[in-house]
């Protein structure tokens, strides 16, 4: 699973369908101008600043939500299933 997402100010799931991953890495390129917030469908509070990455293990991508704190930002996602 590899995606290049445009993240706006409305929370959206990493995947529109169930996709279980052993590991997923989220990367916010340094060209972004605002944080991307990561969390659940009801709360996205973990900040991913420009130039940073986050790796999660044993997740369903349909349950991980992201939203931009401002404008539209880029998020690169790579995951391996199980």
């Amino acid at each position: 699973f590899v995606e290049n997402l445009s993240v706006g100010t409305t929370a959206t799931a990493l995947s529109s369908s169930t996709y279980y991953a052993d590991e997923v890495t989220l990367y916010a390129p340094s060209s972004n101008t605002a944080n991307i917030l990561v969390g659940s469908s009801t709360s996205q509070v973990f900040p991913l600043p420009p130039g940073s990455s986050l790796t999660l293990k044993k997740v369903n991508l349909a349950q991980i939500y992201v939203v931009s704190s401002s404008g539209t930002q880029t998020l690169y996602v790579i995951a391996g299933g199980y």
Side-chain angles (χ1 to χ4, degrees):
F1 183 94
V2 178
E3 289 287 332
N4 175 356
L5 301 177
S6 292
V7 179
T9 55
T10 300
T12 187
L14 294 180
S15 176
S16 59
S17 59
T18 299
Y19 185 94
Y20 294 102
D22 281 328
E23 186 171 283
V24 58
T25 298
L26 311 177
Y27 172 67
S30 57
S31 57
N32 281 356
T33 57
N35 289 347
I36 293 174
L37 304 172
V38 181
S40 67
S41 61
T42 57
S43 178
Q44 304 83 43
V45 296
F46 189 90
L48 195 58
S52 66
S53 65
L54 170 67
T55 299
L56 303 169
K57 296 182 182 280
K58 304 291 185 188
V59 296
N60 176 356
L61 299 187
Q63 295 179 340
I64 306 296
Y65 281 72
V66 293
V67 65
S68 169
S69 62
S70 176
T72 301
Q73 309 301 320
T74 299
L75 181 66
Y76 298 108
V77 181
I78 187 166
Y82 65 88

